[in-house]
Structure formats: C-alpha cells, structure tokens
Amino acid sequence: MKLEHIAINVPDPAAMSDWYVENCGLQEVIRLEDPPYTRFLSDGDRRTAIEIYHNPDAPVPDYHSQNHLVYHNAFTTDNVDVTKENLIDAGASFVEDINLPNGTRLVMLRDPWGIPLQLVNRVDPWY
C-alpha cells in the first residue's frame, strides 16, 4: 500500500485551498464546487494529498484550541526563516521554534484557521 491522502473537515475549504495554493506551493488536483466543497491539495510530486472539505454531518474540530502535537501538516523548506516570515505575513501565527540535537530545525505555526503547520529542515531527510 501507499499513502494516498489525509482528510480533514474544515470550515471553509475554498478559502483554505486558495491560501495553501498561494502560500505553500500546493496545487489543487480535485475541486468540487458543490457540498462538501472538497479540495485535494498536493505538492508537485502528486504522490500524496491533503483532502479538505466541509461536511456538516461531522463536527469541525476547534483547531485553535487543540495542542499542535495532536495534528499538524508538515512542509519541508530550505529556508525556515524566510518561509516562516512569508507565512506569518500571509496570516499564519507563530507557535514555537525547535532545534533538534542532530541539527534538524522545526518551526510550528498555525494557518489562519488554526490548523498547525510545521516547517521542517531536516539534516538527514528520509525522502
């Protein structure tokens, strides 16, 4: 098996999709204009995707109040500081900056909807 996608129920999939496309370099690979307004977002490799939708039959979690270690979307970047500042300028908020003993750097933000967004610069990537 291979991981295809991870799905999350969100309040406004269209606006969220636009933000991730504009600010995180993702591409919409599926866009449904009718409820539940599903969007599949993927990076350039298109091996995995994030599915976002709004389904009123299930509660939208209060992402702002959840600990960022419960769930987060992680993105690799070669320049954590520039990426962090660009995302903050686009409406993200800062949570924490972690430097691991091996030199890997992790910066945790929250997107404008409160969903934790991690920036990763690994010393030894496995991908």
Side-chain angles (χ1 to χ4, degrees):
M1 290 191 298
K2 292 183 182 182
L3 181 64
E4 186 203 51
H5 75 272
I6 294 171
I8 56 175
N9 199 14
V10 301
D12 188 347
M16 184 178 285
S17 178
D18 290 346
W19 191 86
Y20 275 85
V21 167
E22 183 175 335
N23 297 292
C24 298
L26 297 182
Q27 304 166 354
E28 277 188 347
V29 293
I30 295 176
R31 178 185 183 100
L32 302 181
E33 298 297 338
D34 296 316
Y37 308 107
T38 302
R39 307 295 198 266
F40 278 81
L41 304 172
S42 187
D43 62 13
D45 292 338
R46 291 188 169 202
R47 284 185 263 187
T48 59
I50 300 169
E51 176 188 2
I52 57 175
Y53 56 89
H54 180 73
N55 189 329
D57 292 337
V60 173
D62 181 0
Y63 295 109
H64 289 280
S65 70
Q66 288 182 335
N67 186 297
H68 59 276
L69 299 176
V70 171
Y71 172 86
H72 60 269
N73 295 317
F75 293 84
T76 62
T77 179
D78 292 331
N79 193 325
V80 172
D81 292 315
V82 168
T83 304
K84 175 181 92 172
E85 292 308 316
N86 289 341
L87 291 173
I88 289 172
D89 289 346
S93 57
F94 177 76
V95 176
E96 73 174 326
D97 194 332
I98 301 168
N99 291 293
L100 300 178
N102 72 350
T104 292
R105 182 151 174 228
L106 309 172
V107 169
M108 189 65 75
L109 306 170
R110 286 187 184 271
D111 73 15
W113 297 270
I115 295 172
L117 171 78
Q118 186 180 76
L119 304 178
V120 179
N121 184 274
R122 293 194 188 279
V123 171
D124 257 337
W126 66 79
Y127 41 86

